[in-house]
């Protein structure tokens, strides 16, 4: 299985909230994409992986899988495909229910966590 996520889900990140809301992005990421089989290959519309993973490590520094993925991707010219399982384990925008992201955002509601983490990424 393959999913082309365009500007919604990136490897290690998500799209900006230009016209949508944190609720819209949450529904897309968690309500839809997270429910795909873990082995589903993810192809995003842009190659922002290394920048996304640098940010992800700043808000989720103790995530060993994220550290390993960042080290592996730093050596690659092309980092796609990822998989839904990898994104669920390493992408902060798909981990908004996790304590590390709640602490980093000073929020507990997953939608508010997503909005705050996205705002932080916009200014990273």
């Amino acid at each position: 299985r393959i999913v082309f996520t365009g500007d919604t889900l990136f490897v290690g990140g998500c799209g900006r909230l230009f016209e949508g809301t944190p609720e819209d992005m949450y529904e897309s990421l968690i309500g839809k994409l997270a429910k795909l089989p873990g082995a589903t290959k993810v192809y995003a519309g842009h190659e922002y992986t290394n920048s996304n993973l640098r940010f992800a490590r700043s808000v989720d520094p103790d995530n060993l899988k994220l550290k390993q993925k960042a080290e592996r991707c730093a050596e690659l010219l092309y980092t796609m495909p990822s998989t839904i399982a990898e994104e669920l384990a390493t992408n902060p925008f798909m981990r908004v229910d996790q304590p590390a992201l709640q602490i980093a955002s000073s929020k507990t509601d997953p939608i508010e966590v997503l909005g705050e983490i996205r705002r932080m990424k916009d200014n990273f």
Side-chain angles (χ1 to χ4, degrees), residues 9 13 28-30 33-35 84 87-89 91-98 114:
L9 174 65
S28 294
L29 295 176
I30 307 304
L33 293 171
K35 293 179 179 171
I84 291 295
E87 294 308 303
L88 288 170
N91 188 322
F93 299 98
M94 296 190 82
R95 294 173 42 79
V96 293
D97 62 338
Q98 296 299 306
L114 189 149

Side-chain angles (χ1 to χ4, degrees), residues 25-44:
M25 186 62 77
Y26 182 88
E27 178 57 29
S28 294
L29 295 176
I30 307 304
K32 293 184 173 91
L33 293 171
K35 293 179 179 171
L36 294 173
T40 303
K41 293 180 181 178
V42 175
Y43 289 90

Side-chain angles (χ1 to χ4, degrees), residues 6 8 10 13 16 24 33 38 49 53-54 74 83 87 92 97 106 111:
T8 301
F10 296 115
R16 290 181 180 252
D24 296 333
L33 293 171
T49 303
L53 295 178
R54 278 191 299 278
T83 65
E87 294 308 303
D97 62 338
S106 299
I111 293 170

Side-chain angles (χ1 to χ4, degrees), residues 28-102:
S28 294
L29 295 176
I30 307 304
K32 293 184 173 91
L33 293 171
K35 293 179 179 171
L36 294 173
T40 303
K41 293 180 181 178
V42 175
Y43 289 90
H46 304 278
E47 179 61 72
Y48 299 146
T49 303
N50 288 311
S51 172
N52 287 341
L53 295 178
R54 278 191 299 278
F55 171 75
R57 293 199 60 205
S58 78
V59 294
D60 198 5
D62 297 325
N63 184 331
L64 181 59
K65 289 181 181 180
L66 173 57
K67 179 178 185 272
Q68 292 168 339
K69 183 170 183 144
E71 289 170 354
R72 185 177 71 247
C73 288
E75 304 296 320
L76 302 173
L77 182 58
Y78 303 106
T79 61
M80 287 180 255
S82 183
T83 65
I84 291 295
E86 285 180 23
E87 294 308 303
L88 288 170
T90 62
N91 188 322
F93 299 98
M94 296 190 82
R95 294 173 42 79
V96 293
D97 62 338
Q98 296 299 306
L101 283 302
Q102 293 172 349

